[in-house]
Amino acid sequence: MNVMSGCRRKLPLLLVALGLAVPMAPAQAADNYPARSVRIITPAAPGGTTDFLARLLAVHLTNTWNQQAIVDNRGSASGVNGAEITKNAAPDGYTLFMPYHQHTVNAALIAKLPYHPVNDFTPITQMTEGGLLLVVNPSHPAKNAKEFMQWAKTSKDPINFGSAGIGSGGHLAGELFKLMAGTQAQHIPYKGTGPAITGLLSGEYHFNFMGLTGAFGQVRAGKLRAIAVSTAKRLPTAPDVPALSEVLPGFEVVGWYGVAGPAKMPKPLVAKIHAAVVSLVKSPEFIKTMRNNGSEAVSSTPEAFRQFMLDDMKKWGDVAKRAGIKAQ
């Protein structure tokens, strides 16, 4: 018997006897995954859209893997805390992350972000995308998107728009509209969506790009008028509301949610997690639930999701620079 060959066969047993772990190959690690509970870092407080999606995903993964998936809410600092925890976690699949549009926007708004929003993570898949609704007070002279564009370009009076705060989706959408339409409008930031709605209802400003669910509720109640959606095309749930791109070609603002992990996760492990998440996203129940909330289900490859986030980060970085929005 070859002495060296015998030693090599006995080495793993010796390491186990000494209490030392024998690293598994990536494929073997994926085969055994998950052997314990999985934590889903959610960069938002309980009750919002991010939390809602995370809990849907946690139930699905628990049922799929027969291991508990636990939602860990880290709702502070615009999602930075949750992202930083994920960045510093082991790339073993037991810490997942629910990034959303603010994750890439933060790169344009926070000067010393403690991570790169894409390179310090492993993108797994996008889950949803949804737009914003351009709304005005019912007393506004514009009745549709074409009239709104004409008003924005020819109004002799000062124009202003409101949002839920500096750096919010509504703020950036308004700045992009100004840049593309070649018009001037003063931004009025409010401390949250509720106060911003109250301000528009009372006529404190002219228009707002609002989240679809809350905005459509106000429109159905007759308190606000829907002008256009910010998605590239009309929404199946609101086919009578035009896309703003129909009168302002190229305009598109998309809110999104997805799943990622720490950087350097093994590809076989990523593939296993991807398959499990996509099986939820492609289910008829999930698709129906998202459409009822004004969003569309999206499943993408890890490579496509990575490029999507890079493009999104560049887009809003350019908008912030051109609009003069200073990083904090």
Side-chain angles (χ1 to χ4, degrees):
M1 175 179 176
N2 185 291
V3 175
M4 293 302 297
S5 175
C7 288
R8 281 195 296 269
R9 285 197 297 268
K10 292 178 181 179
L11 181 59
L13 295 176
L14 177 61
L15 291 173
V16 171
L18 293 174
L20 301 176
V22 181
M24 291 187 293
Q28 185 181 358
D31 290 341
N32 295 331
Y33 174 88
R36 52 185 172 84
S37 62
V38 175
R39 178 174 60 157
I40 304 174
I41 300 289
T42 307
T49 302
T50 317
D51 178 67
F52 173 69
L53 286 172
R55 294 185 187 281
L56 284 180
L57 179 62
V59 171
H60 176 75
L61 294 182
T62 297
N63 293 335
T64 300
W65 290 334
N66 292 318
Q67 289 286 355
Q68 190 172 15
I70 302 167
V71 175
D72 184 357
N73 294 95
R74 300 287 177 146
S76 62
S78 298
V80 174
N81 291 347
E84 191 169 15
I85 291 171
T86 305
K87 174 203 169 186
N88 295 327
D92 55 10
Y94 291 98
T95 299
L96 299 179
F97 179 52
M98 291 282 296
Y100 66 107
H101 38 269
Q102 193 67 43
H103 182 66
T104 45
V105 168
N106 281 341
L109 302 179
I110 301 174
K112 295 182 179 180
L113 201 62
Y115 50 79
H116 187 283
V118 182
N119 295 340
D120 285 334
F121 299 86
T122 298
I124 295 174
T125 185
Q126 188 177 343
M127 290 183 69
T128 73
E129 67 177 15
L132 301 173
L133 186 66
L134 172 58
V135 291
V136 298
N137 189 291
S139 64
H140 195 284
K143 301 294 192 296
N144 52 52
K146 184 177 180 180
E147 292 180 1
F148 181 84
M149 281 295 299
Q150 184 177 7
W151 166 82
K153 289 186 174 184
T154 62
S155 177
K156 296 180 180 180
D157 297 322
I159 296 174
N160 45 50
F161 72 99
S163 79
I166 295 175
S168 65
H171 177 202
L172 294 174
E175 296 292 351
L176 180 62
F177 172 78
K178 287 168 50 180
L179 292 169
M180 294 186 66
T183 188
Q184 296 297 317
Q186 179 67 39
H187 175 231
I188 301 177
Y190 287 79
K191 294 182 178 180
T193 300
I197 292 175
T198 301
L200 186 55
L201 294 177
S202 62
E204 295 175 8
Y205 60 92
H206 295 106
F207 66 94
N208 192 326
F209 285 90
M210 291 178 51
L212 290 170
T213 302
F216 273 125
Q218 297 292 331
V219 170
R220 295 187 188 102
K223 295 180 179 180
L224 294 177
R225 177 184 298 148
I227 295 295
V229 293
S230 70
T231 46
K233 298 180 180 180
R234 298 191 183 200
L235 298 174
T237 51
D240 295 333
V241 180
L244 191 55
S245 62
E246 294 175 27
V247 293
L248 187 59
F251 184 89
E252 182 181 14
V253 176
V254 175
W256 57 269
Y257 296 84
V259 180
K264 299 181 180 180
M265 289 176 61
K267 287 187 176 181
L269 185 58
V270 172
K272 186 168 187 176
I273 298 170
H274 179 270
V277 177
V278 168
S279 68
L280 167 66
V281 175
K282 289 186 174 181
S283 68
E285 296 82 3
F286 186 86
I287 293 171
K288 181 179 179 181
T289 299
M290 293 305 101
R291 286 187 173 174
N292 287 341
N293 285 278
S295 299
E296 291 294 314
V298 177
S299 56
S300 56
T301 65
E303 295 76 18
F305 187 32
R306 175 184 175 81
Q307 189 60 52
F308 173 85
M309 288 198 290
L310 286 171
D311 292 344
D312 203 53
M313 188 170 69
K314 182 180 184 305
K315 174 180 179 176
W316 295 118
D318 291 344
V319 169
K321 183 177 180 179
R322 293 174 63 193
I325 302 173
K326 301 295 184 181
Q328 302 298 313

